[in-house]
Amino acid sequence: MPSPLIALILSFFIPGLGQFYTGQLLKAILLFVAAAIFAGLSTILIGIPFYLIVWIYSMFDAYTKAKEMNT
């Protein structure tokens, strides 16, 4: 059973890694790619708010999915 705290911490460092940890492989890839694209777009400032949204969603989703799997 995945730990919600570990899933949260993994997604804090790399968006999508917490989803990979909880077994959501497709979602992990999509979040990682989206974060990479928005990080690249941050050089023109438009990517910063979108990156933050993906990053926060990744942490929230990883935590809630791990918690759901433990019940």
Side-chain angles (χ1 to χ4, degrees):
M1 287 190 188
S3 165
L5 183 59
I6 292 174
L8 176 78
I9 291 169
L10 289 172
S11 283
F12 175 81
F13 288 111
I14 300 174
L17 193 56
Q19 283 73 18
F20 182 78
Y21 173 69
T22 59
Q24 304 174 81
L25 301 180
L26 181 60
K27 191 183 284 187
I29 292 167
L30 291 174
L31 286 170
F32 180 78
V33 169
I37 289 170
F38 293 138
L41 289 175
S42 68
T43 59
I44 56 173
L45 299 178
I46 190 84
I48 294 172
F50 293 114
Y51 179 83
L52 290 175
I53 290 168
V54 169
W55 183 53
I56 291 169
Y57 173 76
S58 176
M59 289 187 290
F60 172 77
D61 181 65
Y63 179 83
T64 55
K65 183 64 177 181
K67 195 168 191 162
E68 177 184 298
M69 292 173 77
N70 285 329
T71 58

